């Protein structure tokens, strides 16, 4: 967000940014700029990107997902003609294990590392990684309609995260579904970034028996 020229691309962006504290304003505008760059990378131009609540609202035919953390903004964009779920999340501030109760339910706690393991033992998923995976899925499973938002409950605990089954694409992957509708599920890849994580949705996940 320290790049020069962080200006709104239009009146709706300007109105949203004007009500924000200075740092939040820079993050917001950096995220919009990242989304326009991602869209250009797949051959699509995009002007201003207003918002509805937490969610960016893209013009018809444009889909992207935005995230930012500690002054860095990232975005992923959908190529024309590809009907794929889209979501990404960047978390560079690690969450303490005690935050698990805000993110996970009891049936997900087995994904966390054993509390008795020595520091640095590479087993299980950190709270930060699981939080990031759920954030990516929340964005991918949320749809804006003329009547408003359709998708998960506001709490990430309304989503269920589980390991992907053998044979599913990629490593370091998770499956995230709606608890209220388990057939609505996505595959999420998680990349560790220092003590933090970057996650992104790579496609829909099949139903499980």
């Amino acid at each position: 967000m320290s790049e020069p020229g962080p200006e709104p691309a239009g009146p709706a962006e300007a109105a949203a940014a004007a009500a924000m504290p200075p740092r939040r304003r820079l993050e917001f505008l950096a995220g919009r700029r990242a989304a326009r760059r991602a869209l250009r990378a797949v051959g699509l131009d995009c002007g201003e990107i207003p918002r509805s609540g937490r969610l960016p609202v893209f013009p018809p035919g444009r889909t992207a997902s935005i995230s930012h953390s500690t002054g860095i903004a990232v975005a992923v964009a959908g190529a024309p003609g590809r009907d794929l779920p889209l979501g990404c999340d960047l978390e560079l501030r690690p969450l303490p294990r005690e935050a698990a109760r805000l993110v996970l339910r009891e049936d997900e706690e087995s994904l966390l590392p054993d509390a008795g393991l020595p520091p640095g033992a590479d087993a299980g998923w950190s709270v930060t990684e699981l939080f990031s995976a759920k954030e990516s899925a929340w964005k991918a499973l949320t749809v804006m309609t003329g009547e408003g938002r359709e998708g998960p409950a506001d709490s990430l605990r309304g989503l269920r995260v589980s390991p992907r089954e053998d044979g599913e694409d990629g490593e370091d992957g998770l499956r995230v579904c709606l608890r209220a509708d388990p057939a609505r599920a996505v595959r999420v890849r998680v990349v560790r970034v220092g003590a933090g994580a970057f996650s992104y949705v790579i496609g829909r996940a099949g139903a499980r028996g």
Side-chain angles (χ1 to χ4, degrees):
M1 72 183 200
S2 61
E3 290 184 359
E7 295 297 329
E13 279 189 17
M20 298 175 182
R23 182 176 179 83
R24 175 71 183 95
R25 177 181 184 274
L26 290 174
E27 287 183 339
F28 172 80
L29 295 175
R32 264 47 185 181
R33 191 183 323 170
R36 283 188 279 272
R37 286 180 178 172
L39 285 162
R40 282 198 301 270
V42 296
L44 297 171
D45 290 325
C46 184
E48 71 168 345
I49 305 168
R51 65 176 182 166
S52 176
R54 290 177 56 189
L55 299 175
V57 179
F58 294 93
R62 275 78 173 154
T63 56
S65 178
I66 301 169
S67 185
H68 39 70
S69 179
T70 65
I72 297 175
V74 296
V76 295
R82 299 191 67 189
D83 180 24
L84 294 173
L86 206 61
C88 73
D89 182 70
L90 178 67
E91 301 293 336
L92 297 179
R93 293 189 183 97
L95 296 172
R97 190 183 177 96
E98 293 72 26
R101 61 187 178 82
L102 304 175
V103 181
L104 307 176
R105 295 195 185 184
E106 288 185 4
D107 59 358
E108 300 167 304
E109 291 181 359
S110 62
L111 293 170
L112 293 169
D114 188 325
L117 287 176
D122 189 14
W125 299 82
S126 71
V127 177
T128 306
E129 290 164 345
L130 296 172
F131 175 87
S132 183
K134 283 195 172 189
E135 274 285 314
S136 293
W138 188 93
K139 296 173 183 178
L141 294 169
T142 298
V143 177
M144 291 302 298
T145 69
E147 289 73 42
R149 183 181 73 83
E150 291 183 358
D154 288 341
S155 170
L156 294 182
R157 285 164 54 86
L159 298 172
R160 185 174 188 275
V161 60
S162 58
R164 297 227 303 273
E165 294 177 347
D166 290 343
E168 291 185 286
D169 177 50
E171 298 179 354
D172 287 342
L174 293 164
R175 182 184 191 272
V176 185
C177 69
L178 294 180
R179 288 185 177 272
D181 184 4
R184 290 187 60 190
V186 293
R187 295 174 292 142
V188 180
R189 182 168 293 156
V190 180
V191 180
R192 291 171 180 140
V193 184
F198 174 66
S199 66
Y200 57 100
V201 172
I202 58 174
R204 296 182 180 85
R208 288 184 175 176

